[in-house]
Amino acid sequence: PILLEEVFFFLEAKTLQVHIMPKVSRSKRPPPEGWELVEPTLDELDMKMREAELEPHEGKRKCEALWPIFRIHHQKSRYIFNLYFKKKLISKELYDYCIKEGHADANLIAKWKKPGYESLCCLGCVQTKDTNHGTTCICRVPRSKLPDEKVVECVNCGCRGCGH
């Protein structure tokens, strides 16, 4: 028979193991030149992501537990997007490497390049098939079109308005 204390010890050991696990390299090919400039920021965001995944979700709605993960995912993709497209500080090879290794979301970045989607929070907010009325999320409605007293909060990712 398994004692309840053994189960708790096992769960605590698993939690501790996640905190001290080293980052696993994603591919065997070496990173391109310039990686050492973006690696500290991406490592920091990866640590924030791990903390968000382990954060207790008691008392929160099911969708609310995922909001911090969506925000960090957006932050990582926006960081790579800004470095390559806006500031032109990284090479095409490094940009492609970050996309292939999963540090940035290629589909989200593709939407940011289109007019009207420059500040899109997540892809779920523009998918009409996931909504009741076949429309985009409420956070995509420009704030000027909403009543002043209305507080907008996206159910998908917690965004408070990514429409202009």
Side-chain angles (χ1 to χ4, degrees):
I2 298 175
L3 297 173
L4 191 58
E5 294 168 357
E6 291 176 357
V7 173
F8 284 128
F9 177 74
F10 175 74
L11 291 174
E12 288 176 15
K14 284 293 245 189
T15 304
L16 292 174
Q17 184 182 13
V18 172
H19 284 294
I20 57 176
M21 274 180 36
K23 185 176 180 198
V24 178
S25 64
R26 296 178 186 255
S27 73
K28 295 182 192 240
R29 73 176 205 186
E33 189 175 320
W35 173 249
E36 58 278 350
L37 299 174
V38 296
E39 185 180 25
T41 304
L42 292 176
D43 284 345
E44 182 182 329
L45 290 171
D46 281 339
M47 289 303 293
K48 283 184 180 179
M49 181 71 82
R50 287 189 189 116
E51 290 172 9
E53 289 169 353
L54 294 173
E55 186 176 287
H57 56 273
E58 289 81 24
K60 294 182 182 177
R61 294 182 300 175
K62 193 176 190 180
C63 59
E64 285 179 2
L66 298 175
W67 291 354
I69 295 170
F70 276 110
R71 285 189 183 118
I72 295 168
H73 175 74
H74 176 275
Q75 193 175 1
K76 283 174 66 173
S77 295
R78 182 58 80 170
Y79 175 69
I80 299 297
F81 174 80
N82 286 339
L83 287 179
Y84 183 66
F85 290 103
K86 301 287 185 192
K87 298 177 183 176
K88 303 193 183 319
L89 293 176
I90 62 174
S91 64
K92 172 81 170 139
E93 293 80 27
L94 183 55
Y95 170 76
D96 289 338
Y97 178 82
C98 290
I99 295 292
K100 284 181 185 174
E101 297 299 312
H103 294 292
D105 187 347
N107 295 325
L108 187 57
I109 290 174
K111 283 287 188 189
W112 286 337
K113 291 190 274 182
K114 294 180 179 179
Y117 294 94
E118 296 88 0
S119 61
L120 179 66
C121 54
C122 74
L123 292 172
C125 291
V126 291
Q127 292 177 347
T128 58
K129 65 181 179 190
D130 296 334
T131 60
N132 293 339
H133 303 289
T135 59
T136 59
C137 181
I138 187 70
C139 69
R140 296 295 302 152
V141 177
R143 291 188 185 186
S144 62
K145 305 280 185 200
L146 293 171
D148 291 335
E149 65 277 353
K150 179 147 179 138
V151 176
V152 175
E153 193 168 62
C154 172
V155 176
N156 295 320
C157 60
C159 172
R160 295 184 181 232
C162 59
H164 293 289

